Amino acid sequence: AAGVIQSPRHLIKEKRETATLKCYPIPRHDTVYWYQQGPGQDPQFLISFYEKMQSDKGSIPDRFSAQQFSDYHSELNMSSLELGDSALYFCASSLGRGAKGSYEQYFGPGTRLTVT
Amino acid sequence: KNQVEQSPQSLIILEGKNCTLQCNYTVSPFSNLRWYKQDTGRGPVSLTIMTFSENTKSNGRYTATLDADTKQSSLHITASQLSDSASYICVVSVNYGQNFVFGPGTRLSVLP
């Protein structure tokens, strides 16, 4: 079965550069979530989109922005990169939000971003 | 403050043995609780999802329990296998939305 696809899988950038991470949800899934997981840390929820609209916002820095496109894929844009942005960035998708939020989330393999 | 705690922090067991992982949460308003398995450098894989009205759910050798009164959950793994070695993360969803509070995880190592 098709899974969540993320690209690139690995990315190396220098400080103050920009980066764009892409996420392709499972076909027919309409909700996308972004998480950031620093080395040895818990995943932190960044932002989510439902039907191409931002639906919830977590601890996403102002230097980051994201959007969901008409084909439901999503992009996370990161500017003025800092060393502390080095992390594993996960994207997850789900079909709808369900009653009381009890929907199944499927995670992608992640993009490992290294800022030097 | 919304918070999820897990214990133990790490656990080592022999292949074939059973184990139980604990999760305590202080989250309001509670929406649902999930257990994820995460291999190093990989995305988390959902094991179970439980809403307020559910107190047990099984997925193969994994059985999760939820006590909404005491705000505690457990994940029981039976007949452990080497492939069970991973981090197990308890995640609580807040406010009927998509905001999640992640626990720190329990690192399980299954030895032959």
Side-chain angles (χ1 to χ4, degrees):
Chain A
V4 176
I5 297 173
Q6 290 187 245
S7 67
R9 294 293 309 276
H10 301 273
L11 188 59
I12 300 175
K13 291 285 186 178
E14 295 185 356
K15 282 196 308 183
R16 293 181 287 279
E17 285 191 320
T18 62
T20 297
L21 309 185
K22 297 184 179 182
C23 170
Y24 298 86
I26 290 173
R28 295 194 302 280
H29 279 195
D30 50 17
T31 309
V32 169
Y33 316 80
W34 285 98
Y35 296 87
Q36 176 193 57
Q37 185 176 27
Q41 297 180 5
D42 316 326
Q44 297 292 321
F45 171 68
L46 295 179
I47 195 168
S48 63
F49 293 87
Y50 170 65
E51 282 292 344
K52 294 157 278 186
M53 299 286 289
Q54 180 184 309
S55 64
D56 205 2
K57 195 171 183 179
S59 52
I60 184 169
D62 292 339
R63 298 177 290 105
F64 295 6
S65 65
Q67 58 181 324
Q68 185 179 30
F69 294 85
S70 58
D71 63 352
Y72 294 100
H73 94 274
S74 178
E75 295 184 4
L76 177 66
N77 299 296
M78 311 158 71
S79 62
S80 302
L81 287 170
E82 302 173 355
L83 296 179
D85 296 329
S86 295
L88 199 54
Y89 290 83
F90 289 108
C91 168
S93 75
S94 70
L95 177 61
R97 290 176 291 184
K100 297 186 180 180
S102 58
Y103 42 88
E104 187 72 39
Q105 270 195 23
Y106 296 83
F107 282 80
T111 292
R112 182 168 297 281
L113 172 66
T114 302
V115 181
T116 62
Chain B
K1 178 183 176 184
N2 290 327
Q3 201 164 356
V4 176
E5 298 175 340
Q6 291 186 243
S7 62
Q9 185 176 21
S10 62
L11 182 63
I12 300 174
I13 61 173
L14 294 177
E15 186 179 12
K17 297 296 185 182
N18 304 335
C19 65
T20 300
L21 315 181
Q22 301 291 340
C23 172
N24 299 322
Y25 61 92
T26 53
V27 162
S28 180
F30 174 86
S31 178
N32 60 66
L33 184 145
R34 309 150 185 257
W35 281 94
Y36 284 102
K37 176 186 178 186
Q38 184 178 23
D39 293 307
T40 303
R42 307 286 297 273
V45 175
S46 178
L47 298 176
T48 63
I49 301 176
M50 288 182 292
T51 60
F52 184 88
S53 58
E54 297 174 296
N55 54 26
T56 187
K57 184 165 280 190
S58 292
N59 177 2
R61 295 181 295 104
Y62 302 102
T63 298
T65 65
L66 173 64
D67 185 334
D69 292 330
T70 61
K71 298 187 178 181
Q72 295 180 328
S73 176
S74 66
L75 179 69
H76 187 72
I77 305 174
T78 59
S80 61
Q81 301 175 359
L82 298 179
S83 59
D84 291 334
S85 295
S87 287
Y88 290 84
I89 305 172
C90 175
V91 182
V92 181
S93 175
V94 183
N95 202 24
Y96 301 109
Q98 293 140 48
N99 213 346
F100 306 100
V101 183
F102 281 73
T106 292
R107 179 69 203 175
L108 175 66
S109 298
V110 180
L111 303 181

